[in-house]
Amino acid sequence: MPFGLDRNHYSIFAGIRTNSSMTASQMAKEMGKSSQYVGRVMTSLVEKKLISIQRDGRDKFYEPAIDAIIAYANPNQL
């Protein structure tokens, strides 16, 4: 997998990329994983600069980094 991502990391990244913005709880429900696990994966993706965090009060929304969107884009979509 690109950027050294395993299948779970990539599927979480792909979900964020597809939905534009998600919380860890939203992604956990969608994937059937625990919020804690998804939160750890999202933290790893932030460290790799593939996603960023936007805060709205107590909520943290994860958004894909523009460079990551371009890197993973289908050439037919550009």
Side-chain angles (χ1 to χ4, degrees):
M1 293 256 127
F3 296 108
L5 301 178
D6 66 23
R7 186 178 1 199
N8 287 326
H9 282 67
Y10 183 78
S11 62
I12 290 172
F13 169 71
I16 293 169
R17 189 187 69 207
T18 302
N19 294 303
S20 299
S21 178
M22 296 185 87
T23 65
S25 297
Q26 291 168 331
M27 180 59 73
K29 285 179 188 174
E30 189 171 296
M31 293 191 68
K33 305 265 186 206
S34 74
S35 293
Q36 293 82 11
Y37 172 76
V38 171
R40 284 193 301 272
V41 171
M42 288 181 164
T43 298
S44 172
L45 294 173
V46 168
E47 290 170 356
K48 292 178 188 272
K49 299 187 187 313
L50 294 175
I51 63 174
S52 62
I53 300 171
Q54 300 298 321
R55 293 185 188 270
D56 183 16
R58 292 180 48 196
D59 295 325
K60 288 194 266 185
F61 291 88
Y62 295 87
E63 300 176 347
I66 189 69
D67 293 345
I69 293 171
I70 293 169
Y72 283 99
N74 179 339
N76 297 326
Q77 294 174 336
L78 295 176

